[in-house]
Amino acid sequence: MKILYIGDIFGELGLNYLKENLQNIRQEYKVNMIFVNGENVSGGKGLNFQHYQDLMKLGVSAITMGNHTFSNKEIREYINESKVIRPANLNTDLGKGYQTIKYNDKTITVINLLGRIYMNNMCLDCPFQTLDKILETVKSDYYIVDIHAEATSEKIALALDFDGKVDAVVGTHTHVSTADNRVLPNGTLYISDIGMTGPLNGVIGDNAQTIIKRFRTGIYEPAKTETGEVQFNAVLLDLNDNKNSITRINLIK
């Protein structure tokens, strides 16, 4: 089974790139299922209903989120009945922290977790203990974990702790693709951060000049999404009974 996991989609620039290119990418890599991180689709913060529908029309099977899950208020109206997966260790009754999807005769459970280091959120349960509880109660053929976190140490620690217990741990949030995709000692696929799909020459998606000015002056100014060239960052998770593999896909247009 081949799963394409697309890193944080940023703004309409990233979404439009998928509308124009995703089916070709799917065919080229012979993809069976598509998962995305969608917490930055709508203006860089959150996911409105129209953009959710757009992703569904593209054939996306699951959408994981992160610290901006509820930044767009529309999500509160549709999340319970959607394919959106919010962080499982977030203290809320809205939405679900994992979803199990059936593909032919196999089940794939997709789990979203939010890191606690440098994330400025004091109301999070421990992601390690949260994952313990999910694995104790949910039986599935495959487990895929999106750890949305700032600190690479936290991501790596979680992946090594659950090495052999889940099939893949993929990092999101920093919008910078890392080159450490590998198979861990007990078989779990891992990457610290998939990267982002959106503006290439912005500062993690935002207009570069606005962010540079913030750093130079210390004065906050709202930033718009950067325009111009687009980057596409994803990983291909090949779940094979004989040998699993994880491959980075990094494209620029």
Side-chain angles (χ1 to χ4, degrees), residues 4-48:
L4 183 70
Y5 212 124
I6 302 172
D8 303 55
I9 303 165
F10 197 98
E12 292 202 19
L13 199 65
L15 182 59
N16 288 338
Y17 179 89
L18 296 185
K19 290 178 181 179
E20 296 170 5
N21 298 281
L22 186 56
Q23 294 313 314
N24 289 336
I25 293 171
R26 183 172 198 160
Q27 292 174 8
E28 179 179 351
Y29 291 94
K30 298 179 174 59
V31 173
N32 300 115
M33 303 183 75
I34 300 171
F35 303 152
V36 306
N37 186 286
E39 73 138 18
N40 297 128
V41 176
S42 301
K45 291 185 178 181
L47 180 65
N48 66 33

Side-chain angles (χ1 to χ4, degrees), residues 4 15 18 23 42 57-58 72 105 119 142 165 175 183 185 189 195 200 216 224 229:
L4 183 70
L15 182 59
L18 296 185
Q23 294 313 314
S42 301
K57 291 175 183 177
L58 290 174
N72 190 295
D105 61 340
M119 295 297 284
Y142 301 107
K165 300 176 185 177
H175 296 193
V183 183
L189 304 178
L200 174 65
R216 281 186 167 274
K224 295 182 179 180
E229 289 184 284

Side-chain angles (χ1 to χ4, degrees), residues 1-6 26 29-36 61-62 101 103 106-110 142-144 167-168 170 189 194 234-240 245-247 249:
M1 179 184 300
K2 292 185 177 181
I3 297 172
L4 183 70
Y5 212 124
I6 302 172
R26 183 172 198 160
Y29 291 94
K30 298 179 174 59
V31 173
N32 300 115
M33 303 183 75
I34 300 171
F35 303 152
V36 306
S61 296
I101 303 163
Y103 183 83
K106 299 294 185 179
T107 53
I108 305 97
T109 296
V110 185
Y142 301 107
Y143 300 92
I144 311 295
D167 295 276
V170 298
L189 304 178
I194 300 174
V235 289
L236 186 66
L237 307 174
D238 193 347
L239 305 177
N240 190 303
S245 64
I246 177 170
T247 305
I249 303 174

Side-chain angles (χ1 to χ4, degrees), residues 185-238:
N186 294 316
T188 295
L189 304 178
Y190 176 73
I191 188 168
S192 291
D193 206 290
I194 300 174
M196 67 174 286
T197 294
L200 174 65
N201 293 314
V203 177
I204 61 172
D206 287 329
N207 175 262
Q209 293 307 312
T210 304
I211 304 303
I212 291 169
K213 189 174 180 180
R214 282 188 201 170
F215 280 115
R216 281 186 167 274
T217 66
I219 299 173
Y220 176 85
E221 288 186 28
K224 295 182 179 180
T225 302
E226 185 61 84
T227 58
E229 289 184 284
V230 182
Q231 58 181 312
F232 172 87
N233 290 301
V235 289
L236 186 66
L237 307 174
D238 193 347

Side-chain angles (χ1 to χ4, degrees), residues 5 37 39 63-70 79 84-100 109-116 121 123-138 143-149 158 162 172:
Y5 212 124
N37 186 286
E39 73 138 18
I63 304 170
T64 49
M65 300 294 280
N67 55 303
H68 286 305
T69 299
F70 295 103
I79 190 171
V84 174
I85 305 168
R86 50 88 172 159
N89 57 327
L90 195 61
N91 289 305
T92 178
D93 293 328
L94 285 170
K96 303 177 183 69
Y98 63 87
Q99 291 189 24
T100 300
T109 296
V110 185
I111 304 161
N112 192 194
L113 297 170
L114 195 56
R116 296 191 294 181
N121 191 326
C123 298
L124 292 173
D125 294 330
C126 172
F128 292 76
Q129 294 176 18
T130 298
L131 188 52
D132 280 334
K133 293 174 183 177
I134 293 172
L135 296 181
E136 287 171 3
T137 58
V138 179
Y143 300 92
I144 311 295
V145 180
D146 173 358
I147 172 67
H148 196 82
L158 184 127
F162 289 90
T172 58

